[in-house]
Every structure is written in structure tokens, then in C-alpha cells.
Amino acid sequence: MSTCSTVSQDLDEPIAGTAATATTWLLVEQPGPWGAKALTQSHLDPALGRALEAATKGTGVRVALIRRPGRHADCGTPAKRQIYAAHTVPGNVWLHAATTRDPQQLLDLDFAALGRGDHHAFDSVLQGRPHTGDPLALVCTNGKRDRCCALLGRPLAAELTASGVDGVWEVTHLGGHRFSPTLLVLPYGYAYGRAQAHAVKEVLHSVQEGRIVVEGCRGNSAWERPGQAAELAVRTATGEAAAEALSVVRTDGAAPRWEVTVAHVDGRHWRVVVAQGASGPPRPESCGASVLGSPARMDVVAVRELTMTAALAS
């Protein structure tokens, strides 16, 4: 059976620079079925879903629904929901957790502050606290959005859970169905595609030690797509694995060509040239798409370490 994910893999479509963009993730537990637009097509009050979409627009906050892996029978409204908020910008990475019996409380959050990395409103409104458990592995399983996410994502989430991995949740939408199974790992915000259970376990083990695995990585959600590709290119070129060692500090240019400046916490800087290309030949960008497309790809053209003088000038 040919699917958007098998075609993408067969054509060896590059995966770097394809992660969803969000400086802060807000995750809301919602059991039961999800529609294609899950915030307004689930057992969450659709009026609340619309209000959350409106309130977070332009803030850098991305809201997603989560549920525990397994059967998704309609068990009614949960008495208590798990809520997470995670900020993914290096230098201020955090993951806080809370529970609520009234999801309408979420509308009392200061989303602009959350997007900037301020967790105080989350903590005060929801009695949130720093998450002390294992990293979160959020596996996209929303088959109503794309069947690959159900066909490939749900077995991955189930396998990870069955093998004793803590912190596994199913999540509604991470973009890039054709890279299924996809997942987001928090707190650091790196997304992965074409994921296999053994590789995910390695990723999670590394995250516990404050390290990032580059293989299979789509990028850090804190950056726009050219920055994602540039940061991963510097990691590859230097072998740097420390989670918060690198930051995208400047992006010059516009599609189809950017010059991205990546900084290391030790003061080193790199200039990375990223070009936007089109993946050929035309292929289905998602299952069920009636029109073939040529997905944009981020190609790293050059990686050059800057002298201290050039870095200061930039």
C-alpha cells in the first residue's frame, strides 16, 4: 500500500527543517476521538477550542490535545485533566505540569507571557509545578488528519508504552504527516520523523542526560524552518550534542535563500546558508490529497565558522 509516508521515504525526502514552529507548547489532556481539527472536533467544548485558537494566535504558543496510548473509547468527560506547558527556547527551557477539573481555566492564562517563556501565570492559574518525571514523548496519532499518523503513530506509542517507557502520550498534530511516525520530545522541543521505537528510546535517554540526537531530527520548534535546518547542520558539523548549547540569533534574507547565524554558549558563531528548494517529483503531501505537490525543503548550502570580529559585527 502506497501512502504519503512511504512515498516520502522512497524518494528520500530530507527531514531537517520540517518541524512545527512554537516557542511554547500547551498540552491539554482530552481522551476519546479526535477530528481533523481536534481543538474544535473532539469531546473538548468546541467553543473553548475556538477561544484557545483565538487567544494563542501570534503569541508563539501552540495548543495540542493529548491522550494516553491505547483504546479511545468514549468514557465521558474526564474528572481531572493533565495539562503541560513547555518553553523550548535554549537558555530558558522549562516544562511545567498541572491538573484541572475545569479546562475553561485555560482562558485565564497570559498567552503572550507564556510565548515569551514566562511560566508564572501558568503556575498561578493552574497551580503548576516543574515536571519532575521523564521527558515527554508526544507521538502524533491523529488518523482523521492523515491515516499515516494512525497506521504508524499508534503502534509506535503502544510499543513504547508496552516496553515501559514513561512519558508517552498521543498528540493531535505535529505537521508533516509524510514523515510519520512523528513525535515531539519535551522539554527541549526537538521533533523527529520516521521514528522507530529503539531510536526513540535512544533519543529519550539522551534527553535525560541533556543531549540531543541529530539522526532523524526534524528540528527544534523554537526556530523557523531555516533556523531549524541551520542549527542541525552546525550540530552535525561540530558534533555538538548538548541540548541548550546552540541558538539561532539572526536570520537574514527571505525565501528562497537565508543566511542564518547560529551561536554557541561558549561564544563561537557560524553563518549557515540555507536555500529553499522543491522536492521532486510531485507526490502526495498527505494521504487523501487530490493534488500532487512538491513540498518545500531546506537545503544547507554552506556552514562557516565566523571569527570573533565577524561574529561581533553581525
Side-chain angles (χ1 to χ4, degrees):
M1 178 178 65
S2 179
T3 63
C4 67
S5 60
T6 58
V7 171
S8 174
Q9 188 153 15
D10 289 346
L11 294 174
D12 199 25
E13 183 182 350
I15 206 166
T18 65
T21 301
T23 55
T24 303
W25 291 83
L26 179 65
L27 308 173
V28 181
E29 183 178 5
Q30 179 56 60
W34 298 331
K37 297 181 179 179
L39 270 183
T40 54
Q41 296 175 342
S42 73
H43 291 167
L44 186 73
D45 179 356
L48 173 59
R50 285 190 293 272
L52 287 171
E53 287 178 334
T56 56
K57 191 173 183 179
T59 63
V61 177
R62 186 175 176 122
V63 185
L65 303 184
I66 57 174
R67 64 191 175 197
R68 288 297 188 185
R71 296 187 62 187
H72 303 136
D74 182 0
C75 301
T77 302
K80 193 160 62 172
R81 301 168 192 262
Q82 183 68 48
I83 311 291
Y84 294 104
H87 190 63
T88 61
V89 177
N92 185 31
V93 168
W94 50 261
L95 171 60
H96 283 215
T99 58
T100 183
R101 295 179 182 276
D102 179 13
Q104 295 287 338
Q105 283 187 295
L106 297 170
L107 295 178
D108 294 331
L109 295 174
D110 183 339
F111 292 106
L114 264 183
R116 294 192 302 269
D118 182 350
H119 54 72
H120 291 96
F122 181 85
D123 294 347
S124 62
V125 170
L126 298 171
Q127 285 72 58
R129 296 289 182 271
H131 174 66
T132 56
D134 289 342
L136 302 187
L138 307 166
V139 181
C140 185
T141 63
N142 191 351
K144 290 291 173 61
R145 192 147 187 128
D146 191 285
R147 63 178 175 167
C148 284
C149 298
L151 291 172
L152 300 174
R154 289 193 65 188
L156 173 63
E159 182 179 354
L160 290 169
T161 300
S163 64
V165 177
D166 290 329
V168 180
W169 292 85
E170 298 186 6
V171 68
T172 45
H173 182 48
L174 298 176
H177 330 288
R178 63 192 184 279
F179 303 119
S180 295
T182 64
L183 75 151
L184 176 74
V185 179
L186 295 174
Y188 297 115
Y190 285 82
Y192 291 83
R194 301 177 185 144
Q196 303 298 317
H198 65 90
V200 174
K201 291 175 184 177
E202 180 188 349
V203 166
L204 295 174
H205 178 71
S206 296
V207 165
Q208 285 181 309
E209 298 182 344
R211 294 183 293 109
I212 299 302
V213 172
V214 171
E215 186 175 357
C217 190
R218 300 175 62 194
N220 184 339
S221 72
W223 318 124
E224 298 292 333
R225 291 185 62 182
Q228 294 172 13
E231 190 244 21
L232 290 176
V234 172
R235 286 192 180 277
T236 299
T238 62
E240 180 57 73
E244 295 188 75
L246 298 176
S247 293
V248 175
V249 295
R250 180 168 175 168
T251 301
D252 296 307
R257 189 178 179 89
W258 300 266
E259 288 194 355
V260 181
T261 305
V262 178
H264 195 288
V265 289
D266 67 9
R268 286 180 292 164
H269 286 70
W270 293 263
R271 183 145 301 145
V272 183
V273 179
V274 180
Q276 178 176 303
S279 296
R283 81 288 302 274
E285 294 190 55
S286 63
C287 291
S290 57
V291 178
L292 299 182
S294 300
R297 51 186 282 173
M298 295 291 124
D299 293 319
V300 172
V301 177
V303 179
R304 179 170 62 92
E305 186 171 355
L306 301 177
T307 64
M308 191 61 69
T309 302
L312 290 172
S314 69

